[in-house]
Amino acid sequence: MRLPRRLPSPVAALLSQIADVPGVPYAAPRNSSDPASPLASASPTTSSTSSSRSDASVQPRPEPTPMGGFSYAASVIMPQTGWHASEFLPRLVGELSSPGNLSVLEREMHRQATGAPTPYSLSLRGETGTPVELLVTPRPLRSVATGAEGEGPVLCATLTATPLPSQSSEGPAPAWSERTRLLNLLDRLPAYVVLLGPDYSIRYENRGFRQLFGPGVGRPCYEIIRGQNHPCALCPPFDVFDSRTLCVCEWACPERRSAFRIYSYPFEDVDGSPLVLKLGIDITSGVRAQEALSISEGRYRSITDNLTLGIAVLDRALGITASNPRLREWFGDAAAPGGLLCRMLAEHCGEDNTRCPGCACLATFRDGQTHEWRLETTARSGGRRSYRLTSCPILAGDGGVDSVIVMLEDETDRLRVEERLQRARKLEAMGTLATGIAHEINQPLSALQLYAGSLEMLAEKDRAPDRETLLARLSLILGETARIRDIIDHMRALVAHGDAALSPTPVEAAVDRALGLVGAQLRAHRVTVERVL
């Protein structure tokens, strides 16, 4: 097994801390996998201890020694893992470079760079595959106060290797191992997670938090999250220290135009210190969707509230679940949500809803089609009002009718306008026929003048006319006056504002009167009419 030429920077940083001479940047020895090299042929030594390492000073790296300068680490790890001495360093590098351990090292090296190193656990596999927990405790070197200019303090690390209990073993896993596993899990969550101390300091942050707010371990939460130099006046998550119960709140971040739902849990660290675990889930998309829905709902509500139609939503029992102001203005409390359509239209529906079989709303629930219904009721202000009711289905997810929208249109004024329009059309028709009618009246008048003139001529003679001639001429005069009276009565009925009284009328007489009105015009145009009655 050979060492890679380039190691991940977190692995190289740890190797530098656990080397026999800590603090010197790690460089992989050449030919480390050669059996003839000192690394492969040397045996582990156990003389180094954590106390002797803590006082070590930074020195130039010596020539390769047994275990490649990692005798202390080999003395701690090899007895628990059973690794061969010739493969110790490659096996250690390989285990440290695994995804799980590499994630932990990245987080802890970032924490150390901020000046807040804490113990952490790594997982190794023994020669037989058994898991071994490696507890790493970093601390500054006593003999080195600060690192190089622009760098953090020089750290060394002590190691403790412990075989983890198998599934058949009894007893809990070590607390630090459980803590590390929890932090590894939190680091992968698609949300931001921080552990807060009673002094507002951030004790832990996951990757999601760093992506949103940047690194902040050891610094106050209000400084990192809010950019303030003082705690927030109202901080629901911080109240968990007193309540020791779950707290849920929502927080909008104007700078990032995002919103979070925050869950704050009481948490106790492995050393017993109280903390608050704060988990923030990004709900920006949901909040924006809710805001857009509210705006859309407000617009549609404004439209329905200002329509001239009365609108209501009915359930399957014809109960009113929603109604607009216009409908409530027409029908009062009977049209308010919680009322019944049958009660609102009680005058039209009849006693005990005897007309329900023909109800348009029930028909819409049955077939899912749009239906119309015309009705007439007494308005609240008095007087009769005519309405057109239209019922439209609202389909459910399974295709059935879940509810019905009812729209009532007051047709009273429109019907009155239509009636007036019909009367105006009658008058227009009368104007069109005025010339013909005047001509027809002139005909009997001319005949009357002729008959009256002939009687005058007979009266001027010395001999008076006989009785038969006189009666015949008078009969003609009376016939023409009757024609004039019929024409006038027909016109009066046509232009009357009210409906004319209906009565049985001989068809022959009506046809004769009609032909009498237009007879002169027909004859002038040489039109012959043949009656077949």
Side-chain angles (χ1 to χ4, degrees):
M1 182 178 295
R2 300 178 61 89
L3 283 169
R5 294 183 178 180
R6 294 184 178 180
L7 300 182
S9 56
V11 175
L14 176 61
L15 293 178
S16 175
Q17 295 174 10
I18 65 175
D20 293 339
V21 182
V24 179
Y26 171 78
R30 296 181 180 179
N31 302 326
S32 57
S33 60
D34 188 357
S37 66
L39 176 63
S41 60
S43 59
T45 62
T46 59
S47 59
S48 298
T49 63
S50 60
S51 59
S52 63
R53 297 181 73 256
S54 63
D55 295 331
S57 59
V58 178
Q59 301 175 3
R61 181 174 296 277
E63 294 298 325
T65 58
M67 309 312 300
F70 294 92
S71 301
Y72 162 70
S75 66
V76 175
I77 296 173
M78 287 180 55
Q80 306 299 335
T81 60
W83 293 344
H84 296 290
S86 60
E87 298 181 352
F88 170 73
L89 193 55
R91 287 288 296 270
L92 179 60
V93 171
E95 291 293 325
L96 296 179
S97 301
S98 65
N101 288 334
L102 192 59
S103 175
V104 176
L105 288 173
E106 289 177 350
R107 183 187 69 242
E108 296 300 328
M109 295 307 164
H110 176 77
R111 187 189 299 271
Q112 293 175 15
T114 62
T118 57
Y120 58 94
S121 296
L122 301 172
S123 178
L124 307 177
R125 290 177 300 173
E127 186 67 26
T128 60
T130 56
V132 175
E133 179 193 36
L134 181 65
L135 178 61
V136 182
T137 306
R139 57 182 180 177
L141 285 173
R142 294 179 182 176
S143 57
V144 181
T146 59
E149 182 178 357
E151 299 180 358
V154 177
L155 300 177
C156 68
T158 57
L159 303 175
T160 302
T162 306
L164 293 177
S166 61
Q167 296 182 353
S168 59
S169 303
E170 296 183 357
W176 279 106
S177 176
E178 294 298 324
R179 183 183 190 275
T180 301
R181 293 175 184 174
L182 174 62
L183 298 185
N184 289 341
L185 174 63
L186 297 180
D187 200 55
R188 291 172 171 82
L189 288 180
Y192 81 76
V193 181
V194 289
L195 287 176
L196 302 178
D199 57 352
Y200 296 96
S201 63
I202 298 176
R203 306 295 178 84
Y204 164 80
E205 62 192 20
N206 73 338
R207 185 181 306 171
F209 183 89
R210 291 193 295 272
Q211 291 174 351
L212 287 171
F213 306 103
V217 173
R219 299 169 63 186
C221 59
Y222 51 80
E223 179 182 333
I224 300 301
I225 299 177
R226 296 290 186 96
Q228 302 176 165
N229 55 7
H230 57 82
C232 302
L234 180 64
C235 183
F238 203 77
D239 294 339
V240 175
F241 281 109
D242 298 326
S243 63
R244 307 305 296 173
T245 58
L246 169 65
C247 172
V248 182
C249 62
E250 292 186 0
W251 171 60
C253 183
E255 294 81 4
R256 294 175 176 82
R257 296 182 179 180
S258 55
F260 300 89
R261 179 172 291 115
I262 300 174
Y263 298 84
S264 302
Y265 302 87
F267 190 85
E268 185 175 332
D269 210 348
V270 292
D271 58 359
S273 59
L275 302 174
V276 169
L277 190 150
K278 182 178 173 182
L279 183 145
I281 300 176
D282 192 338
I283 58 172
T284 305
S285 58
V287 170
R288 291 177 179 174
Q290 185 65 34
E291 291 177 352
L293 180 62
S294 299
I295 294 173
S296 177
E297 182 181 355
R299 289 175 179 172
Y300 284 112
R301 185 176 296 277
S302 176
I303 293 173
T304 57
D305 288 352
N306 291 280
L307 286 175
T308 58
L309 301 176
I311 300 177
V313 180
L314 306 180
D315 57 20
R316 285 191 164 273
L318 299 187
I320 300 174
T321 59
S323 61
N324 71 336
R326 183 71 63 183
L327 190 68
R328 296 193 293 270
E329 176 186 344
W330 289 344
F331 297 96
D333 294 338
L340 289 174
L341 178 69
C342 300
R343 186 178 302 165
M344 185 182 76
L345 303 177
E347 181 181 353
H348 179 80
C349 293
E351 296 181 1
D352 299 328
N353 301 329
T354 55
R355 301 180 187 176
C356 280
C359 177
C361 301
L362 292 178
T364 299
F365 275 112
R366 285 194 300 267
D367 57 22
Q369 302 297 321
T370 300
H371 293 272
E372 288 189 358
W373 194 21
R374 281 180 167 79
L375 53 100
E376 186 175 342
T377 62
T378 303
R380 297 176 64 194
S381 58
R384 303 292 291 177
R385 307 294 294 183
S386 299
Y387 297 97
R388 182 180 67 173
L389 184 149
T390 305
S391 59
C392 304
I394 299 178
L395 302 180
D398 57 358
V401 180
D402 181 64
S403 54
V404 165
I405 294 180
V406 172
M407 295 178 288
L408 271 81
E409 180 184 359
D410 190 342
E411 296 186 309
T412 307
D413 296 335
R414 184 177 63 82
L415 293 177
R416 289 175 181 172
V417 171
E418 288 181 355
E419 184 179 356
R420 292 173 184 172
L421 181 59
Q422 290 178 358
R423 292 173 183 172
R425 288 173 179 172
K426 288 182 180 180
L427 293 176
E428 183 182 0
M430 285 300 300
T432 304
L433 297 175
T435 304
I437 293 174
H439 177 73
E440 295 301 327
I441 292 178
N442 284 333
Q443 281 186 339
L445 287 175
S446 299
L448 284 174
Q449 186 179 7
L450 177 64
Y451 297 148
S454 63
L455 285 176
E456 184 181 8
M457 292 175 61
L458 290 175
E460 291 178 352
K461 292 181 178 181
D462 296 337
R463 187 169 59 115
D466 57 11
R467 185 172 181 274
E468 289 78 6
T469 302
L470 184 60
L471 291 175
R473 298 296 175 89
L474 290 175
S475 177
L476 291 174
I477 292 174
L478 292 175
E480 296 300 328
T481 57
R483 284 184 59 191
I484 294 174
R485 185 181 64 248
D486 291 342
I487 293 173
I488 293 174
D489 290 342
H490 182 68
M491 291 179 58
R492 184 182 295 117
L494 185 63
V495 299
H497 292 290
D499 295 334
L502 301 179
S503 63
T505 302
V507 178
E508 295 85 351
V511 173
D512 290 340
R513 287 196 298 270
L515 292 176
L517 290 174
V518 296
Q521 295 180 355
L522 293 176
R523 289 191 296 271
H525 291 83
R526 299 178 181 179
V527 176
T528 303
V529 178
E530 182 181 354
R531 292 192 307 167
V532 179
L533 298 175

